[in-house]
Amino acid sequence: MPDRGEIMQKSLNLMRIAVLGAGGTGCQLLTLLAEQGAELTIIDRDIVEESNLLRQPLYSQDDIGMPKAVIAAKKLTSLTKAESFFEDITYRNIQEILQRPRLVIDCTDNTETRLLLNDYCMKNSIPWIHTAASGVIGSVILITPNSPCYRCVFQEKRGESCTDSDVSIDILKSVAEQAVRITLEFLTKGKMEDGLLRVGLNRIMHISISKNENCPCCKGNYEFLEGRRTMLPERLCGTSRYLIVTGRQLDLVSLGNRLANVKLQTNDVIISDEYTIFKKGRVLVTAKSPSEARKKIVSIGL
Ligand SMILES: [Zn+2]
C-alpha cells in the first residue's frame, strides 16, 4: 500500500500527457511529470548528440546516436509508464500518435509543429501548453478550447526556439517548472492560468492575451491539420528541389524585383536560377537541406 504522502505526491496518476520534444525543456519537464505519476507519450524526431549532453540530463555518453524519445522513455520507466515515438509529427500521423491525451505539452523548437498542434488540439478540444526558451527568456501559455489559441497570440511568427548553444539551463528549468505547475493546477483543480507567462532569470511576468477575430483556427479553418498548408519544406523525390506551400496568393511583381537571375516572369510564375514561384502560393527552391530551403524562403520575404 502506498502511504498518504505518496498518493498526495503522485497527483497526475493515470492521466496521460503527450509531450512533443525531448530536448532542453523536454528533459526537465518529462522528469517532473513522471515524478507526478503522469503516463507519458514522448514524441521526438532527433537523436542524441554530444552537444546535447550538457543541457539535456536524461542522456549520457552511451546514448549518443540513439533516438531521444526512446532513451527518455526508457530512463523514466522506473517512475511511470512511458511510450515513445521516434517520429516527425505531421498532419498525416498526428491523430494516430497523440490519440486524445488529457493534455499535450509543446517543447519543440519550431513554428510549423506548433501550428499543426494548435489545429489538432483546438479541433479536438484538447488543452495544451506551449513552451519556448531562448537565451535568458522563456514563455509558457495554457491554451484551451475557450481561450485565445496559439495562432491568435503569435499568428505565424517564427517564435523563440530552443537551441543548445544559446539557452540558459536555468531558464529551461524555470519554463519546465512553470509548465508543470500550470498542468497540475489545471488538471487537478480546474484552475486556468490567464495569459502568457514570460519567464526571466529572476522574475515572471503575466501578459494578457485576447482572441483574434480573424484567426482562421478559431473560426474552424484547420488548414495545417488538413494538410492544405504547410511551412515545412518537402523535398521532391530524386532532386535537390524543395516544395513549400504558402497557401496564399503571392505578389509576383515585388518578388521578381527581389530575385537574382530571373529567367522567366509571367502573370502566373517566376523562374530564376534557384526559385520557381507560382502566383497561387507554391514555391520550389533549390537547397541542400530543409533548413537551407527555409532560410532561402525567408530571405526573399516569404
Ligand atoms: Zn485563434
Side-chain angles (χ1 to χ4, degrees), residues 118 122 147-153 211-212 215-219:
N118 190 54
M122 294 303 277
S147 74
C149 80
Y150 178 85
R151 217 167 156 183
C152 283
V153 179
K211 271 204 184 272
N212 173 356
C215 171
C217 180
C218 286
K219 287 180 176 168

